[in-house]
Amino acid sequence: ETQRIDRIVQQFLEYARPPRLAPERVDLDALVGDAAGRARSRAESRGVRVEVAAPGAGTAVVDPAQLRQALDNLVRNAIDATPEGGQVSLCARREGGGHAIEVRDTGRGIEPDHLPRIFDLYFTTKADGTGVGLAVTQQIVTAHGGTIEVDSRPGAGTTMTVRLPGGEEGERG
């Protein structure tokens, strides 16, 4: 219980303080692979497979700690939404002049009336959720000059796509 409360307080503080980026050139293949690796024990304990496809995603100038946190939030939500026997997939690729990172699950999907609110601070549908994780994730992605898109169908799963700019725009950080 103490760890849960500490996590809530930490997430709130992270949201309250806009992220200060410390950008550096990062191998997105490795970053996405690490996110999957960190999530595997949680996924296995729930009977969920984690797959990674990130060949050739290349490098991007991002704050690796911040982007890692955003990916961890997305992957944790995907695992929590996926029933036993399901799958969570992480995919990173070059796209246009930038990069896209997808977190896709075979879970229950998001109800259409909840979609407009999922990035709102304190909005949650989880009994033990805080409603801070996706708000922080969106804040981190926006600070990088990126966007996050949601494609979800009830009963068919959800795909969260983080789009990051490339080139000079992405290097501004």
Side-chain angles (χ1 to χ4, degrees), residues 48 74 77-83 86-89 102-112 115 118 149-161:
V48 174
L74 293 175
N77 283 352
I79 291 168
D80 290 350
T82 303
Q87 178 176 313
V88 171
S89 304
E102 286 182 357
V103 177
R104 176 178 299 136
D105 67 60
T106 58
R108 63 184 173 272
I110 301 169
E111 294 298 323
L115 274 173
I118 63 170
E149 299 164 7
V150 183
D151 179 22
S152 186
R153 291 177 306 272
T158 300
T159 301
M160 297 273 192
T161 305

Side-chain angles (χ1 to χ4, degrees), residues 96-166:
H99 304 274
I101 302 170
E102 286 182 357
V103 177
R104 176 178 299 136
D105 67 60
T106 58
R108 63 184 173 272
I110 301 169
E111 294 298 323
D113 58 325
H114 291 165
L115 274 173
R117 300 179 56 208
I118 63 170
F119 294 109
D120 291 352
L121 186 60
Y122 300 127
F123 177 78
T124 185
T125 59
K126 297 180 190 178
D128 64 346
T130 62
V132 177
L134 284 179
V136 168
T137 297
Q138 184 180 46
Q139 189 178 47
I140 290 168
V141 171
T142 300
H144 281 87
T147 60
I148 185 165
E149 299 164 7
V150 183
D151 179 22
S152 186
R153 291 177 306 272
T158 300
T159 301
M160 297 273 192
T161 305
V162 173
R163 296 188 194 285
L164 299 169

Side-chain angles (χ1 to χ4, degrees), residues 51-99:
E51 308 264 325
V52 180
T59 60
V61 178
V62 297
D63 181 317
Q66 297 275 342
L67 192 54
R68 188 174 297 118
Q69 179 185 358
L71 287 177
D72 287 349
N73 286 340
L74 293 175
V75 172
R76 183 174 36 256
N77 283 352
I79 291 168
D80 290 350
T82 303
E84 186 173 350
Q87 178 176 313
V88 171
S89 304
L90 285 82
C91 174
R93 64 184 180 275
R94 290 182 190 272
E95 187 175 83
H99 304 274

Side-chain angles (χ1 to χ4, degrees), residues 12-37:
F12 177 75
L13 291 174
E14 288 162 1
Y15 183 81
R17 282 179 276 164
R20 283 195 177 85
L21 300 182
E24 58 186 79
R25 189 161 295 283
V26 174
D27 179 347
L28 289 180
D29 299 348
L31 189 75
V32 169
D34 289 346

